[in-house]
Amino acid sequence: SQVFGLAEPVLSRAVALGRRGENVEAPLQAAVREQRRGEGDLERALLRALLHAPEALETIRAMVGPDDFRDAECGALARWIWSGRVDRPEGGDEGALARDLTAGAPAGFNWTAEATGAARRVVERRLKEQLREHRNQLGRTAEASESARLIQEIDTIARSLRELSTHA
């Protein structure tokens, strides 16, 4: 579960299907698609909030950057927003996405709070990934100094995750 970043029940089901000789690929691909869609929703929520509350960008910029976006369209729009331009993109994928995200926005919504919350979730996602990667590396290393370094980094990441959840 930690290696692949998938929920244990999904992997358990895949193992059970494999033992019965059934197709494992389809359920795993569906789980990955669902996970990516959720990530895209998170990234779009952050971008939507920033388009409506551009004054929040400096605070958000200190937390996340365009490289934190996995969806290509979201990444392109994030690079546009992070560049400091005050106009909206007109063409390309980022222009279409910006139009989609700003259409039908509710009046009086606290977009700054939405941006901050979404940015925290993106940071949490990044930290959990780093934690998973470091734990995997720790399991593969036999060198004592490398193990000590990884343990220290794992502790730092875990502390950052705890601090993030207590300040939410």
Side-chain angles (χ1 to χ4, degrees), residues 144-165:
S145 63
E146 179 69 4
S147 292
R149 182 189 68 79
L150 287 168
I151 289 169
Q152 184 177 14
E153 289 180 13
I154 287 169
D155 184 53
T156 301
I157 295 168
R159 191 175 322 110
S160 295
L161 274 168
R162 282 191 303 275
E163 289 172 6
L164 188 65
S165 67

Side-chain angles (χ1 to χ4, degrees), residues 121-136:
R121 291 190 304 275
V122 170
V123 170
E124 180 181 22
R125 178 180 73 182
R126 179 185 348 116
L127 290 171
K128 285 181 177 179
E129 262 180 22
Q130 290 173 351
L131 190 60
R132 185 171 46 250
E133 288 171 11
H134 281 64
R135 285 179 174 159
N136 291 338

Side-chain angles (χ1 to χ4, degrees), residues 31-164:
V32 169
R33 275 192 309 274
E34 182 65 27
Q35 182 177 347
R36 285 188 181 145
R37 191 180 79 215
E39 291 171 352
D41 291 346
L42 170 61
E43 293 172 5
R44 281 173 169 72
L46 175 54
L47 294 171
R48 177 181 296 113
L50 286 173
L51 288 168
H52 290 288
E55 68 277 3
L57 179 59
E58 287 310 310
T59 301
I60 302 308
R61 193 179 279 170
M63 299 169 71
V64 300
D67 291 341
D68 286 307
F69 291 81
R70 295 184 184 149
D71 180 274
E73 289 178 337
C74 289
L77 181 55
R79 283 186 293 283
W80 180 279
I81 293 171
W82 263 251
S83 74
R85 295 185 63 166
V86 293
D87 59 334
R88 298 261 169 94
E90 294 298 321
D93 290 339
E94 62 271 15
L97 181 57
R99 285 188 296 280
D100 288 348
L101 295 177
T102 54
F109 190 75
N110 187 342
W111 292 108
T112 300
E114 176 73 6
T116 304
R120 285 178 193 255
R121 291 190 304 275
V122 170
V123 170
E124 180 181 22
R125 178 180 73 182
R126 179 185 348 116
L127 290 171
K128 285 181 177 179
E129 262 180 22
Q130 290 173 351
L131 190 60
R132 185 171 46 250
E133 288 171 11
H134 281 64
R135 285 179 174 159
N136 291 338
Q137 288 176 1
L138 182 61
R140 291 190 307 263
T141 189
E143 199 174 303
S145 63
E146 179 69 4
S147 292
R149 182 189 68 79
L150 287 168
I151 289 169
Q152 184 177 14
E153 289 180 13
I154 287 169
D155 184 53
T156 301
I157 295 168
R159 191 175 322 110
S160 295
L161 274 168
R162 282 191 303 275
E163 289 172 6
L164 188 65

